[in-house]
Amino acid sequence: MKQKTQAIREEIEQRLAAGECATSKELIELKMEYLGKGGKISALSKGMRDVPAEERPEAGRLLGELRAWAEEQFDAREKELKRRELAAKVAGERIDVTMPAKFHAGGSVHPVTLVRRELEEIFSGMGFNIFEGPEIERDYYNFQALNIPADHPARDMQDTFFVGGEYLLRSQTSSGQIRVMEKQAPPIKVLSPGRVYRSDSDATHSPMFHQMEGLVVDKGITLCDLKGILDEFARRMFTAETKTRFRPSYFPFTEPSVEVDLSCKNCGGKGCRICKGTGWIEVLGAGMVNRRVLENCGIDPDVYTGFAFGIGLERIAMIKYGIGDIRLLFENDVRFLRQFKD
Ligand code: DAH
């Protein structure tokens, strides 16, 4: 037994010295070869059966010593390997803080996004919640429930992209009004921003543009509340001197309906090129929610009244930043976009 344990000892010493296991994985394999269940040292233990009884205590002691020694050897090597591996990993991940940084082109926020955020801030400050409806919309929400039946001439006001069947690309965020009123009982105070689509394209019209719908429904809401809220919006969005003007208009979903103008900030109302000499710039449509629209959503128009308005975000951005052509907003020319900062 003495010779056998000595031979194994030497064998392990040689193999470790020869650097046979350069990684922890190889070391584990080597360890298993000796100390594993079917390993060489375990095989010696099994051979104890054949050792004469008087020699057994001594053989057992030798075997125990060998096992303890081997474990020590492997453990020491394992620690050493782990230390080396960690050192190599740390060296590999070292960061040279003196290296020049990668170039990142600083982005800027799109002017329409800037306007949308500003509007959301102004109106949420007045207690409005935000609701976002789908862009692919059913005819019912975009038209019918808004008091625009299939054969209604008011459909001509919005050149609509029909997707197929009862589906279309929403032509106005007014569809959000219906979706909100269907789900929620008054009091309602909601803002519905989003993309809308119309088959229309020139310097002031884009086939895709953005609107922000506002809706307030409660007991005793009047046109004065609408005027008050829009006055506040105009002053906050533009200047404290900005005035609003209501002109009678027509929308099937409001009665009465108004077109809302703001005093021209460029000339202060005196008349200039931007306001075409009138002193006023048209910015949005609004009105008192038509009784039929309330009824379509299960709200009793004898108990509740409401107002709604629809703002074109591109239009506000063009007025605010003095942009003459709507197409500039969608060409993604960085020289243009870079001028707008948060
Ligand atoms: N949806 C209208 C449009 O796109 C704008 C509008 C007008 C919205 C009057 C309203 C409203 O909520 O009351 O032309």
Side-chain angles (χ1 to χ4, degrees):
M1 182 57 82
K2 189 159 187 172
Q3 283 155 8
K4 284 183 187 159
T5 55
Q6 189 57 32
I8 288 183
R9 208 181 258 250
E10 280 164 18
E11 201 179 300
I12 292 174
E13 265 171 358
Q14 270 170 21
R15 294 183 73 174
L16 284 177
E20 198 172 301
C21 38
T23 63
S24 314
K25 194 167 164 262
E26 282 169 13
L27 179 69
I28 289 168
E29 276 163 20
L30 192 68
K31 187 174 170 184
M32 291 303 287
E33 205 180 315
Y34 290 93
L35 290 166
K37 256 194 182 160
K40 290 184 182 172
I41 295 177
S42 311
L44 277 190
S45 305
K46 279 187 197 127
M48 284 287 280
R49 266 181 267 132
D50 309 324
V51 175
E54 63 278 17
E55 290 173 23
R56 248 183 230 161
E58 174 63 3
R61 192 183 59 76
L62 286 169
L63 207 56
E65 262 179 26
L66 174 65
R67 187 177 283 280
W69 175 85
E71 265 161 13
E72 227 172 74
Q73 298 297 305
F74 288 122
D75 285 354
R77 175 56 66 94
E78 194 182 337
K79 275 200 193 113
E80 166 69 10
L81 277 179
K82 285 237 165 80
R83 196 186 58 72
R84 264 196 260 157
E85 280 167 4
L86 183 67
K89 189 166 177 251
V90 169
E93 288 174 357
R94 205 166 137 156
I95 296 170
D96 180 356
V97 291
T98 65
M99 291 260 286
K102 269 192 197 153
F103 174 71
H104 284 291
S108 57
V109 181
H110 194 280
V112 172
T113 307
L114 287 176
V115 166
R116 197 197 74 213
R117 286 186 189 163
E118 206 173 332
L119 282 170
E120 285 174 355
E121 208 173 300
I122 293 172
F123 284 104
S124 54
M126 295 194 265
F128 283 73
N129 292 315
I130 301 212
F131 168 83
E132 285 187 59
E135 285 175 35
I136 297 178
E137 187 52 285
R138 285 171 51 198
D139 191 297
Y140 176 76
Y141 291 101
N142 196 84
F143 290 127
Q144 291 164 42
L146 285 163
N147 199 27
I148 316 175
D151 53 358
H152 198 288
R155 286 199 178 207
D156 277 357
M157 290 160 78
Q158 303 177 2
D159 245 331
T160 310
F161 291 111
F162 287 89
V163 173
E166 56 171 327
Y167 290 95
L168 46 82
L169 296 182
R170 70 174 170 200
S171 61
Q172 49 185 353
T173 44
S174 303
S175 50
Q177 289 186 27
I178 307 298
R179 288 190 172 272
V180 169
M181 285 193 280
E182 259 187 357
K183 291 236 160 61
Q184 197 187 320
I188 293 170
K189 215 170 178 186
V190 70
L191 205 59
S192 186
R195 291 192 192 96
V196 296
Y197 302 83
R198 288 182 204 176
S199 179
D200 215 351
S201 185
D202 59 35
T204 52
H205 297 91
S206 159
M208 185 283 293
F209 61 106
H210 299 77
Q211 283 188 338
M212 178 90 75
E213 188 78 10
L215 173 73
V216 173
V217 183
D218 202 350
K219 287 181 182 152
I221 297 290
T222 70
L223 203 67
C224 288
D225 298 305
L226 172 64
K227 177 97 170 141
I229 288 237
L230 292 181
D231 278 351
E232 180 64 12
F233 144 73
R235 286 194 289 262
R236 302 262 302 266
M237 191 75 196
F238 297 99
T239 62
E241 290 74 44
T242 309
K243 294 192 173 49
T244 59
R245 176 172 86 170
F246 281 15
R247 275 182 295 112
S249 186
Y250 171 74
F251 298 102
F253 34 91
T254 41
E255 183 56 39
S257 302
V258 292
E259 209 100 46
V260 181
D261 300 338
L262 300 186
S263 55
C264 177
K265 78 175 169 98
N266 189 52
C267 60
K270 284 193 225 51
C272 68
R273 188 182 50 84
I274 292 180
C275 57
K276 297 188 188 100
T278 64
W280 297 95
I281 297 179
E282 182 191 323
V283 285
L284 58 97
M288 297 304 291
V289 181
N290 192 305
R291 295 177 60 89
R292 290 208 184 169
V293 174
L294 293 174
E295 273 164 6
N296 287 342
C297 301
I299 295 177
D300 185 348
D302 291 326
V303 179
Y304 294 101
T305 50
F307 65 74
F309 56 88
I311 309 178
L313 301 194
E314 281 76 7
R315 183 139 183 81
I316 300 290
M318 288 168 78
I319 297 168
K320 191 167 167 99
Y321 301 116
I323 301 166
D325 190 323
I326 197 170
R327 288 168 289 206
L328 281 167
L329 292 167
F330 301 114
E331 278 167 358
N332 286 336
D333 184 334
V334 288
R335 291 168 304 178
F336 170 78
L337 295 175
R338 213 183 267 144
Q339 303 173 61
F340 304 92
K341 287 277 173 212
D342 221 346

